[in-house]
Amino acid sequence: MKKLLAVLSFLLLASVFGAARASDASFPHRAKFKHVSVMETEALRKELDRAIVIDVRSRYEFATLHIKGALHIALSKDKLPAEAKALRATSAVPIVFYCNGHSCKKSYEAAELAMNAGVTNVHAYDAGLDTWTKQYPDQSVLLGKSPAQPADFISSETFKKRLISVQDFEARQEKGAVVLDIRDLRQRDVVLFPMRELRAPLDDSQKIADAVAEAKKSRKTLLVYDKVGKQTRWFQYYLEQQGMKDYYFLEGGSEGYHEAKFGKPKFQVPEQG
């Protein structure tokens, strides 16, 4: 009997640690940021009414979709620590940073910046918006409306259907499609299609509206690219809201384009937060 109990105990412990390893495996940045306290989804839901929840993604992403009650502070080494310290001075409640999901490390980086500035009771909600909106759409804000309706969320599968390769993007461009570069000014290095594309950063709502209106009026395919293929996911909400039917995104953005054309660069300049 003792031997059986010992075996059962061993199996139970193995299953617990195995589950923990499996959980950590789905969060690729946890190992690097072991010193950052992680808040799980259920815990955040319980703390939501009293915690200070901070979205550290871009302003455009926040305006498209965010956790209800969250503040927006973009990830910045210059500004975030000071703003976190100012918030801590007003309250001792938990400060929780989040970004898009499991593969995004901005929540850890934000928490680390705050901790290094002496801010206490800081956490990263690393399951992020992807998990939160699936479990708590009633506590999510989509395009300014809450509760968000699950049917209005654009799934990863729906987004991926709009992604096309460099070859397909170029072929459609040659056939007269409207090309739109939505990179912001600090990201814009080399223009992919000189003299043949429109430029409208996402934070310039009027230029964006004019570019989309031009594509709709001309009844041409709209081809969109960003820096690395992540901002187009959020821009898709706007296009759907405007009734666009014929549009596609360049897979991997401008960096994917250069890699497909010239191979991976030997040296990469770190992206600024």
Side-chain angles (χ1 to χ4, degrees):
M1 179 60 73
K2 288 183 179 180
K3 184 179 289 187
L4 177 60
L5 289 174
V7 171
L8 290 175
S9 296
F10 173 79
L11 291 175
L12 177 60
L13 287 172
S15 65
V16 170
F17 284 113
R21 285 194 296 271
S23 176
D24 285 348
S26 67
F27 292 89
H29 303 297
R30 278 190 180 182
K32 180 180 177 181
F33 294 93
K34 289 182 178 179
H35 56 290
V36 174
S37 172
V38 170
M39 185 171 286
E40 303 292 349
T41 302
E42 293 74 17
L44 178 58
R45 180 64 188 89
K46 291 178 181 178
E47 295 281 353
L48 190 62
D49 292 336
R50 78 181 194 94
I52 298 174
V53 181
I54 301 174
D55 188 316
V56 295
R57 303 172 303 146
S58 71
R59 171 61 67 178
Y60 190 86
E61 289 171 291
F62 178 80
T64 303
L65 181 63
H66 62 265
I67 294 175
K68 187 175 182 179
L71 305 176
H72 177 258
I73 302 177
L75 184 63
S76 167
K77 294 179 181 179
D78 298 326
K79 297 180 180 180
L80 187 141
E83 296 196 43
K85 288 176 72 174
L87 288 170
R88 172 54 71 232
T90 66
S91 174
V93 301
I95 295 178
V96 186
F97 297 98
Y98 77 89
C99 51
N100 281 322
H102 294 212
S103 62
C104 178
K105 62 180 180 181
K106 287 184 176 181
S107 61
Y108 307 104
E109 293 174 334
E112 186 176 57
L113 286 172
M115 292 163 60
N116 289 342
V119 181
T120 58
N121 200 5
V122 170
H123 311 270
Y125 172 52
D126 58 355
L129 201 62
D130 291 338
T131 298
W132 182 267
T133 53
K134 290 175 183 176
Q135 294 192 24
Y136 299 113
D138 60 314
Q139 295 297 323
S140 305
V141 181
L142 176 61
L143 298 174
K145 296 181 180 179
S146 184
Q149 301 301 316
D152 293 334
F153 292 137
I154 296 177
S155 68
S156 296
E157 292 72 23
T158 299
F159 171 64
K160 289 177 181 177
K161 289 179 181 178
R162 297 288 182 171
L163 295 178
I164 59 176
S165 66
V166 169
Q167 293 76 16
D168 195 1
F169 198 92
E170 287 184 321
R172 291 172 186 268
Q173 184 274 326
E174 290 291 342
K175 292 179 181 179
V178 174
V179 179
L180 176 60
D181 176 359
I182 60 172
R183 294 176 295 174
D184 63 39
L185 295 177
R186 67 186 179 87
Q187 293 177 326
R188 196 169 286 156
D189 42 25
V190 179
V191 178
L192 301 191
F193 303 97
M195 308 300 292
R196 291 183 290 176
E197 67 179 39
L198 303 175
R199 298 182 188 177
L202 290 177
D203 57 4
D204 191 330
S205 57
Q206 188 57 58
K207 280 190 175 182
I208 287 290
D210 290 344
V212 173
E214 181 174 330
K216 290 178 68 175
K217 183 178 180 180
S218 64
R219 296 183 180 181
K220 294 181 179 179
T221 299
L222 178 64
L223 303 177
V224 185
Y225 73 90
D226 59 9
K227 180 68 172 177
V228 296
K230 293 184 177 181
Q231 292 297 301
T232 48
R233 172 187 175 188
W234 305 102
F235 187 49
Q236 187 174 14
Y237 279 98
Y238 178 79
L239 294 178
E240 289 292 324
Q241 189 182 53
Q242 296 302 309
M244 285 293 297
K245 303 297 183 184
D246 189 11
Y247 67 88
Y248 296 94
F249 304 127
L250 176 60
E251 188 170 14
S254 61
E255 287 193 2
Y257 181 89
H258 291 305
E259 184 176 324
K261 288 290 189 179
F262 311 110
K264 290 185 177 181
K266 293 182 179 179
F267 302 100
Q268 290 185 329
V269 178
E271 188 172 343
Q272 298 296 314

